[in-house]
Amino acid sequence: IELSPDRVALFSYAKVPWLKPHQKRMKEEDIPDVDEKFAIFLSARKLLTEEGGYTAIGMDHFAKNQDEITVALNNKSLHRNFMGYTVQSTNHYIGFGVSSIGYVQQSFIQNVKTLKDYYQALDNDELPVDRGISLNEDDLIRQWVIYSLMCHFEVDYQKFEDCFQISFTDYFSEEMNELYPFVEDDLIGVTKDQISVKEKGTLFIRNIAMLFDKYLKNKLKERRFSQTI
């Protein structure tokens, strides 16, 4: 707060030793548990919004009240990609460098992960691409819903139907039933026109958005992901 940066990104430490082997050296007893981490986040959030002059942006960012990203939040023009929140929207972006990720023609492309492989590919006049995936129609539909939740804390059924010419409640009938625990906990509101996330619910927006990620559902059984808190 004393430094007063324009924006702050506040993330929880992700415990993923199967991806980052060096994390195995960190003892579990030295890491805050879920309750303590959540308390730390709530304390930081309160200080930033009440004393620092910041607005909470989405699920993990804070920006000064006059910042353009705060303006975008208020007028519902905020966007998000895998790099974070942004005021600009683009259908294509290209990743340069080791392990970087690009998005071109509705496909994600990731570069190789070591400098040796990266330079070898360039020396051979080859793109240093390691892997990629093309999004199908269902992926694009779910991407739209997840971004709408994370950026605007709502899903407008009519806007969805205008984009995809299908009924939201019909397409996501299973997910609509799974939302009711969040309704009962007063985290979201569900009407005939939209899903809206309440103030308290914004703290759990990752969990709400997870319901619409079919790939993540398959991984839940494996527990191969970092905790949301």
Side-chain angles (χ1 to χ4, degrees), residues 41 45 55-63 69 73 78 80 85 149-153 199 201-206:
F41 177 79
R45 189 177 193 273
T55 296
I57 307 292
M59 57 189 179
D60 45 30
H61 283 56
F62 297 84
I69 204 168
L73 172 71
L78 187 65
R80 183 178 174 87
Y85 289 98
L149 284 169
M150 288 185 169
C151 293
H152 312 307
F153 296 121
E199 178 66 23
T202 62
L203 300 173
F204 302 96
I205 190 59
R206 287 181 186 270

Side-chain angles (χ1 to χ4, degrees), residues 127-190:
L127 290 174
V129 171
D130 177 48
R131 58 179 177 168
I133 183 171
S134 295
L135 276 61
N136 59 36
E137 184 177 6
D138 180 65
D139 294 332
L140 296 171
I141 289 172
R142 293 176 182 274
Q143 180 187 61
W144 189 96
V145 173
I146 291 171
Y147 281 1
S148 184
L149 284 169
M150 288 185 169
C151 293
H152 312 307
F153 296 121
E154 68 176 25
V155 176
D156 185 297
Y157 301 161
Q158 188 59 56
K159 289 182 180 179
F160 174 87
E161 292 173 13
D162 290 343
C163 286
F164 302 105
Q165 286 74 55
I166 54 177
S167 166
F168 179 87
T169 52
D170 289 345
Y171 194 88
F172 291 108
S173 57
E174 179 180 341
E175 286 80 2
M176 292 297 291
N177 290 328
E178 295 174 346
L179 283 173
Y180 280 104
F182 294 106
V183 176
E184 294 175 353
D185 290 337
D186 199 33
L187 300 178
I188 66 173
V190 177

